[in-house]
C-alpha cells in the first residue's frame, strides 16, 4: 500500500512539474523606461509625478494589450515606444531635446531576438514616430541603419507620418537648451577663470549636473518565448550637429537575442557605445554563463561609472527575469508580467 501511495504521489508531482513548465513558457513580460538621470523627488511636483506615472502606465497598458492577445514581442515594443514618443514628457518624438543649433534630431532602433533582425534610424527631423521607421528599415529594406534625409525619404516612401520639424518643439525642452548653453559656457569660463559664487553654485546644483537624459525604451518576452527590444530618443540636450548616440547602435543601446536577453539603454550614449553595453551583457550571459542581474550590474554599476559615464537600462531575459539597474539618481521605469504583477517607479530605492 505504502509503495502504491508513493508511486501515486510521484505521478501527481510529475504532472504538476510539467504543467508549471508549460505555464512558464507561455508567460509574457514587458519592461519600459522613460530615461535615467538626476531625477530627484525634491525637484518634482505632485502634478508632474502624477503625469509621469500616467505616461508610464499608458505605455505599459498599450504593450500589455498586444502581449495578452498573444501578439509578438516586436509588435509590443513598437506599440509601447510609440505611446512614449507621442508623450511630450519624454525625450523622444514629441518632447525630444534640442541640439546646440536648436533642432530636434532623433535616433531609434528596434531588434527582433528571434531572427536577430534589426533596424535603426539616426538624426531624423521629420518622422513623427522614429521607432516605426526603424522597424520599416528592418523589414522593408536590405539595410540595418539609415540616417538623416535618406531615412526621412525612405520613411515617406513607406507611407509613415511625416511632420514639420516644429511638431517636436516643446517649451520645456527649449528652456532646457538655454540652461544647458549657459551651464556649458560657465564650464568653459571655469577652465581659465574663477566663477562668481552665484555661478559656481549654479554648476553644483544636482539638477544642473545632468540635464540631458530621457530616452524611452521597451523590451518584451512574448507568449511564444520571443524577445524584442526598442529604443527611441532625442539624444542629449545641446549635442552637436550630426551627433548620434547609443540608442540606434545595435549592441550599444539596443539589443535582443532569444538565446539570452533583450536590452534598452538610457544615459550618456558615448559611454554606452564605447562599452558596447547591451551586447556585452548578452555575451556575458551566453559565453560567461552569468545571470542577468550579475551581468547587468557589472556593466551598469561598475564598468559604466568606472569609465566616467552614467545611465541605466532595462532588460528581460529568455526566462522572463527582469533587471532595471541604473547608476543615476533615478530612472523612469516599470514592468508588467502575465498574471498582473506590475511595478512603476521613478526614484532610487
Ligand atoms: N542615451 C541617449 C543618448 O546618448 C540619451 C538618453 O538616454 O537620454 O543619445
Amino acid at each position: 500500500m505504502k509503495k502504491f501511495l508513493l508511486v501515486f504521489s510521484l505521478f501527481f508531482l510529475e504532472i504538476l512539474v510539467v504543467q508549471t513548465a508549460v505555464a512558464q513558457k507561455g508567460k509574457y513580460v514587458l519592461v519600459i523606461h522613460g530615461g535615467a538621470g538626476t531625477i530627484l523627488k525634491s525637484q518634482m511636483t505632485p502634478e508632474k509625478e502624477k503625469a509621469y506615472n500616467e505616461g508610464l502606465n499608458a505605455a505599459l497598458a498599450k504593450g500589455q494589450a498586444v502581449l495578452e492577445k498573444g501578439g509578438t514581442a516586436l509588435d509590443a515594443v513598437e506599440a509601447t515606444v510609440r505611446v512614449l514618443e507621442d508623450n511630450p514628457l519624454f525625450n523622444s518624438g514629441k518632447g525630444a531635446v534640442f541640439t546646440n543649433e536648436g533642432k530636434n534630431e532623433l535616433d531609434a532602433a528596434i531588434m527582433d531576438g528571434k531572427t536577430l533582425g534589426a533596424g535603426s534610424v539616426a538624426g531624423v527631423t521629420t518622422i513623427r514616430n522614429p521607432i516605426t521607421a526603424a522597424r520599416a528599415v528592418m523589414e522593408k529594406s536590405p539595410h540595418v541603419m539609415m540616417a538623416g534625409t535618406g531615412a526621412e525619404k525612405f520613411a515617406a516612401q513607406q507611407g509613415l507620418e511625416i511632420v514639420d520639424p516644429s511638431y517636436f518643439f516643446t517649451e520645456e525642452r527649449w528652456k532646457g537648451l538655454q540652461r544647458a548653453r549657459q551651464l556649458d559656457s560657465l564650464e568653459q569660463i571655469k577652465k581659465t577663470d574663477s566663477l562668481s559664487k552665484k555661478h559656481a553654485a549654479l554648476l553644483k546644483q544636482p539638477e544642473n549636473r545632468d540635464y540631458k537624459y530621457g530616452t524611452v525604451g521597451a523590451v518584451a518576452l512574448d507568449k511564444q518565448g520571443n524577445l524584442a527590444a526598442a529604443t527611441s530618443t532625442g539624444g542629449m540636450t545641446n549635442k552637436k550637429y550630426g551627433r548620434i548616440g547609443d540608442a540606434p547602435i545595435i549592441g550599444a543601446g539596443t539589443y535582443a537575442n532569444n538565446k539570452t536577453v533583450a536590452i534598452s539603454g538610457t544615459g550618456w550614449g558615448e559611454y554606452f557605445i564605447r562599452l558596447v553595453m547591451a551586447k556585452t551583457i548578452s555575451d556575458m550571459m551566453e559565453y560567461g554563463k552569468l545571470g542577468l542581474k550579475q551581468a547587468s550590474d557589472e556593466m551598469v554599476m561598475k564598468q559604466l561609472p568606472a569609465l566616467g559615464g552614467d545611465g541605466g537600462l532595462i532588460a528581460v531575459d529568455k526566462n522572463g527575469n527582469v533587471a532595471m539597474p541604473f547608476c543615476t539618481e533615478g530612472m523612469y521605469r516599470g514592468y508588467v508580467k502575465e498574471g498582473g504583477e506590475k511595478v512603476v517607479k521613478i526614484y532610487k530605492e
Side-chain angles (χ1 to χ4, degrees):
M1 181 65 182
K2 252 191 190 166
K3 199 175 163 198
F4 171 75
L5 272 180
L6 188 68
V7 171
F8 194 68
S9 41
L10 277 177
F11 174 70
F12 272 102
L13 193 68
E14 201 173 318
I15 289 184
L16 203 73
V17 170
V18 170
Q19 271 184 347
T20 320
V22 171
Q24 275 307 112
K25 191 175 177 272
K27 284 197 170 163
Y28 67 76
V29 181
L30 174 68
V31 197
I32 60 171
H33 72 75
T38 308
I39 307 162
L40 297 165
K41 196 159 174 74
S42 56
Q43 306 294 325
M44 193 72 91
T45 61
E47 297 75 36
K48 227 173 156 185
E49 190 177 293
K50 185 166 170 270
Y52 274 108
N53 277 319
E54 280 171 6
L56 293 169
N57 275 301
L60 277 175
K62 187 78 178 184
Q64 183 180 15
V66 174
L67 294 168
E68 186 74 50
K69 281 195 309 225
T72 64
L74 201 60
D75 283 345
V77 293
E78 184 195 353
T80 304
V81 165
R82 282 180 66 101
V83 172
L84 294 165
E85 283 180 338
D86 288 346
N87 186 333
L89 285 177
F90 300 100
N91 170 21
S92 66
K94 174 95 184 157
V97 298
F98 285 92
T99 65
N100 179 265
E101 287 183 315
K103 293 184 182 165
N104 304 106
E105 295 181 358
L106 316 173
D107 299 338
I110 195 162
M111 185 159 184
D112 181 355
K114 183 180 173 188
T115 60
L116 298 188
S120 71
V121 292
V124 297
T125 59
T126 61
I127 303 172
R128 176 174 167 163
N129 291 106
I131 198 64
T132 298
R135 184 160 179 185
V137 171
M138 174 173 97
E139 291 177 340
K140 310 271 172 56
S141 89
H143 309 303
V144 167
M145 188 172 198
M146 293 174 85
T149 49
E152 290 165 358
K153 200 168 159 184
F154 174 72
Q157 280 166 1
Q158 294 302 317
L160 304 191
E161 189 174 348
I162 301 298
V163 291
D164 187 83
S166 62
Y167 162 81
F168 298 106
F169 180 91
T170 56
E171 192 60 41
E172 183 82 1
R173 297 299 188 198
W174 185 249
K175 282 190 198 145
L177 174 63
Q178 309 317 317
R179 203 167 62 235
R181 280 178 175 158
Q182 191 197 3
L183 293 168
D184 267 16
S185 48
L186 290 178
E187 289 282 6
Q188 292 311 319
I189 297 170
K190 204 175 108 185
K191 281 183 189 157
T192 52
D193 229 329
S194 59
L195 290 175
S196 71
K197 262 193 177 159
K198 185 182 140 210
H199 284 151
L202 206 66
L203 272 185
K204 280 199 187 119
Q205 278 171 16
E207 68 273 27
N208 284 343
R209 281 205 310 263
D210 72 21
Y211 39 79
K212 29 194 166 2
Y213 307 146
T215 293
V216 310
V219 295
L221 171 71
D222 64 28
K223 289 185 181 183
Q224 292 74 43
N226 294 313
L227 292 169
T231 315
S232 183
T233 187
M236 289 169 71
T237 305
N238 206 20
K239 67 186 180 183
K240 270 207 193 306
Y241 36 72
R243 180 263 187 190
I244 290 168
D246 58 311
I249 312 256
I250 299 303
T254 308
Y255 190 71
N257 184 339
N258 272 8
K259 280 193 198 160
T260 50
V261 66
I263 291 176
S264 169
T266 169
W268 198 335
E270 277 70 10
Y271 291 89
F272 278 63
I273 296 172
R274 290 165 60 197
L275 287 166
V276 199
M277 177 64 81
K279 175 68 159 67
T280 301
I281 293 172
S282 172
D283 285 351
M284 288 163 92
M285 295 174 71
E286 185 174 359
Y287 307 114
K289 303 292 172 215
L290 294 191
L292 172 62
K293 183 167 165 41
Q294 237 186 319
S296 56
D297 277 356
E298 173 65 29
M299 290 306 291
V300 175
M301 310 308 283
K302 289 195 193 147
Q303 301 303 326
L304 180 60
L307 202 61
D310 61 4
L313 57 82
I314 50 164
V316 58
D317 73 13
K318 62 176 178 176
N319 299 315
N321 296 308
V322 170
M324 306 189 286
F326 55 95
C327 62
T328 48
E329 291 299 327
M331 180 168 84
Y332 300 104
R333 62 200 186 279
Y335 68 81
V336 61
K337 291 184 174 186
E338 184 158 341
E341 183 186 339
K342 189 170 157 195
V343 164
V344 171
K345 286 182 183 168
I346 297 179
Y347 314 105
K348 214 194 269 190
E349 308 258 76

